[in-house]
Amino acid sequence: MSNWTSLWYVWLILLTVFLLLLCGITASCIKFCFQKKRPPVETFSRLPYDVAAVAADSDSTAHSTAT
């Protein structure tokens, strides 16, 4: 059985995996912190005016005079 200290490539792989995990956790924490501090963004902009729709029947006087 070989000695663990002589297997330098195993330690290199373990160190690489540990650093990747550490970077992922750090990035997640930073993203979470910045996401909480930002105010919510409106997806639709509000219109400066109101839109009204007027319904007209086919029996109305406006329709009969127009045709």
Side-chain angles (χ1 to χ4, degrees):
M1 198 156 155
S2 59
N3 193 3
W4 278 97
T5 54
S6 64
L7 300 174
W8 59 269
Y9 53 90
V10 174
W11 292 111
L12 183 66
I13 292 171
L14 288 174
L15 180 67
T16 305
V17 170
F18 175 74
L19 288 176
L20 285 173
L21 283 173
L22 187 66
C23 288
I25 291 171
T26 304
S28 296
C29 289
I30 290 172
K31 182 179 175 184
F32 179 74
C33 289
F34 280 127
Q35 187 178 11
K36 240 183 170 174
K37 291 181 181 178
R38 240 188 280 160
V41 179
E42 279 190 38
T43 54
F44 299 105
S45 61
R46 295 185 182 206
L47 299 175
Y49 50 86
D50 291 333
V51 178
V54 179
D57 290 338
S58 61
D59 298 338
S60 69
T61 57
H63 185 268
S64 61
T65 56
T67 54

